[in-house]
Amino acid sequence: MDFKTEFKPLTVQPQEIESKSFEIITEELGEHPFTPEQYPVVQRIIHASADFELGRNIVFHPGAVEAGIEAIRSGKKIVADVQMVQVGISKPRIQKFGGSVDVYISDPDVMEEAKRLNTTRAIISMRKAVREAEGGIYAIGNAPTALLELIRMVKEGEAKPGLIIGMPVGFVSAAESKDELRKLDIPFITNLGRKGGSTVVVAAVNALAIMAEKKA
Amino acid sequence: MDFKTEFKPLTVQPQEIESKSFEIITEELGEHPFTPEQYPVVQRIIHASADFELGRNIVFHPGAVEAGIEAIRSGKKIVADVQMVQVGISKPRIQKFGGSVDVYISDPDVMEEAKRLNTTRAIISMRKAVREAEGGIYAIGNAPTALLELIRMVKEGEAKPGLIIGMPVGFVSAAESKDELRKLDIPFITNLGRKGGSTVVVAAVNALAIMAEKKA
């Protein structure tokens, strides 16, 4: 058998792969508790993780999706906790509205300050972020310490995020940081448990950006 | 209650978080089928995904770990399918041995050729990669079409990878592409099913790089 022929049905175009995937997700997910505004975010998260358990455990603050779309449409900054999140977010849609996707964790001043205070670069990067990105979207997929520091600053009135997407993955402090996030009465998207990570957070931001574009 | 005090126990240093996480993983995973050489890769994948189901379903070609370590130690290139994989891989360990982490999917010549042939950039990027990175490690976390094209080139004698880490995530062609990879008799690391993605592939490469460094 000719190998190229054998594989023909699998090598479809990316756009076709995506729509077929979304059909499968909707079919296999079945009943779910999400609103029509929330569902595209959940769908894209499942698409990026192939994990229905993760998808079912996404938790939205009631105003989260609207706040995210509004932040993107008004050109607010998106703050990524790590570079993987930054590069994963589709830029043209964000830039179209005047926004940008920024990451501070490897900035020389952040690294220096973290060393001086004997704390994590993740924590210091959030302190810098709240100075640089008021009203922005905070996309945190990795460092629970970053999320906890952001929550602290919100509680103490030092930070006013437009939306926090807080889904750090991990075994130590990750689930706990998300429990704290759910107690806030500001827009957030998070999930229950240990799962999460860069790809999941990227999926959430990209879903919001697509919705922001459609509204245009 | 003082908020900073309340959170004190959670904000530990990244190194402590990592070792504590690894302890939890080993304890919760319990019995497993992996060799002592394979286990650090599995452990780091679970660390990056918090997903034991994914971890248990990792499949190694018998020579995979040794081949990966050898490729890194001899300074072979690491090819990432997308930029998220490229930025996630820890560079100093790779560069120490003279290697680099490269991604071709957004190269102008790749984009042009994909357009000309009406095919995916992922496929064309793999054709470029085999010319640029003989004996290298191919880290594919996203595009099944990239993995299928690489498999085709291996079968037809056009590609000689040192190791293929093939874990594209997704609902269309992803699991099938991994089924094809497992039939090859060259070093591979893959997983059963739909899960995978950038963070998982990055974890595998970083685990190999740490082992390569320890052997030094």
Side-chain angles (χ1 to χ4, degrees):
Chain A
M1 192 194 294
D2 174 26
F3 192 81
K4 284 180 201 177
T5 313
E6 184 190 348
F7 271 156
K8 201 82 186 268
L10 293 180
T11 57
V12 291
Q13 292 291 325
Q15 207 47 54
E16 291 173 46
I17 293 182
E18 190 171 285
S19 10
K20 179 72 189 150
S21 301
F22 281 179
E23 278 172 36
I24 297 171
I25 291 165
T26 298
E27 194 184 310
E28 291 191 24
L29 182 62
E31 282 188 39
H32 62 76
F34 303 107
T35 69
E37 288 70 37
Q38 292 165 352
Y39 182 60
V41 177
V42 175
Q43 193 179 38
R44 198 160 283 271
I45 285 173
I46 297 174
H47 181 248
S49 63
D51 192 336
F52 287 94
E53 186 213 356
L54 171 61
R56 287 189 182 284
N57 283 297
I58 304 293
V59 182
F60 294 84
H61 179 277
V65 173
E66 203 187 324
I69 292 173
E70 184 48 35
I72 291 168
R73 288 178 59 80
S74 55
K76 300 291 186 199
K77 290 192 176 184
I78 297 174
V79 175
D81 65 338
V82 298
Q83 214 193 341
M84 274 187 85
V85 170
Q86 186 194 30
V87 304
I89 295 170
S90 174
K91 304 301 177 303
R93 286 192 195 95
I94 304 298
Q95 288 161 351
K96 184 193 261 184
F97 298 109
S100 60
V101 185
D102 299 320
V103 62
Y104 303 104
I105 197 161
S106 296
D107 288 2
D109 58 339
V110 167
M111 292 169 77
E112 206 171 285
E113 181 80 349
K115 208 168 182 179
R116 195 177 66 81
L117 298 177
N118 190 29
T119 186
T120 71
R121 291 194 287 141
I123 286 178
I124 304 301
S125 74
M126 286 299 121
R127 293 187 190 163
K128 181 167 182 177
V130 303
R131 295 194 304 269
E132 305 276 338
E134 189 169 307
I137 297 177
Y138 288 70
I140 301 175
N142 296 273
T145 60
L147 182 54
L148 288 168
E149 178 65 6
L150 183 58
I151 293 167
R152 181 192 69 73
M153 290 188 288
V154 169
K155 287 195 179 188
E156 298 190 357
E158 297 168 27
K160 294 202 195 317
L163 169 66
I164 301 177
I165 301 174
M167 298 195 252
V169 61
F171 292 85
V172 175
S173 304
E176 295 86 342
S177 70
K178 292 178 245 188
D179 292 343
E180 293 302 320
L181 178 58
R182 286 201 309 283
K183 294 179 193 162
L184 293 187
D185 190 23
I186 65 160
F188 62 75
I189 301 173
T190 185
N191 68 300
L192 303 177
R194 292 165 167 174
K195 289 177 179 177
S198 297
T199 51
V200 173
V201 165
V202 164
V205 175
N206 285 342
L208 292 171
I210 289 167
M211 286 189 273
E213 198 177 35
K214 282 190 183 152
K215 257 196 160 179
Chain B
M1 190 193 296
D2 173 27
F3 192 79
K4 285 181 198 177
T5 313
E6 185 190 348
F7 272 156
K8 201 81 186 268
L10 293 179
T11 57
V12 292
Q13 291 292 324
Q15 208 46 55
E16 289 173 46
I17 293 182
E18 188 171 288
S19 10
K20 180 70 188 152
S21 301
F22 281 178
E23 278 173 35
I24 296 171
I25 291 166
T26 299
E27 194 184 310
E28 291 191 25
L29 183 62
E31 282 190 38
H32 62 75
F34 303 108
T35 69
E37 288 71 36
Q38 292 165 350
Y39 183 60
V41 176
V42 174
Q43 192 179 40
R44 198 160 282 271
I45 285 173
I46 297 173
H47 180 248
S49 62
D51 192 336
F52 287 94
E53 185 214 357
L54 171 61
R56 287 189 182 284
N57 282 297
I58 303 293
V59 181
F60 293 84
H61 179 276
V65 174
E66 203 187 325
I69 293 172
E70 184 49 35
I72 292 169
R73 290 180 57 82
S74 55
K76 299 290 185 199
K77 289 192 177 185
I78 297 174
V79 176
D81 63 341
V82 298
Q83 214 193 341
M84 274 187 84
V85 170
Q86 186 194 31
V87 303
I89 294 170
S90 175
K91 304 299 176 304
R93 285 193 196 94
I94 304 298
Q95 288 161 349
K96 183 194 261 183
F97 297 109
S100 60
V101 185
D102 299 320
V103 62
Y104 302 104
I105 198 161
S106 296
D107 289 1
D109 56 339
V110 167
M111 293 169 77
E112 206 170 286
E113 181 80 348
K115 208 167 183 180
R116 197 176 65 81
L117 298 177
N118 189 30
T119 187
T120 71
R121 290 196 286 142
I123 286 177
I124 304 300
S125 74
M126 285 298 121
R127 292 186 191 164
K128 181 168 181 177
V130 303
R131 296 194 303 266
E132 305 277 337
E134 189 170 308
I137 297 177
Y138 288 70
I140 300 174
N142 297 273
T145 60
L147 182 54
L148 289 168
E149 178 66 5
L150 183 58
I151 293 167
R152 181 192 69 74
M153 290 188 288
V154 169
K155 288 196 178 188
E156 299 190 357
E158 296 168 28
K160 296 205 194 315
L163 168 67
I164 300 176
I165 301 174
M167 298 194 253
V169 60
F171 291 85
V172 175
S173 305
E176 294 85 342
S177 70
K178 291 178 245 189
D179 291 343
E180 293 301 320
L181 177 58
R182 285 201 309 283
K183 294 179 193 162
L184 293 187
D185 190 25
I186 65 161
F188 63 75
I189 301 173
T190 185
N191 69 299
L192 302 177
R194 292 165 165 175
K195 289 178 179 176
S198 296
T199 50
V200 172
V201 165
V202 164
V205 175
N206 285 341
L208 293 171
I210 290 167
M211 286 188 273
E213 197 177 35
K214 280 189 185 153
K215 257 195 158 179

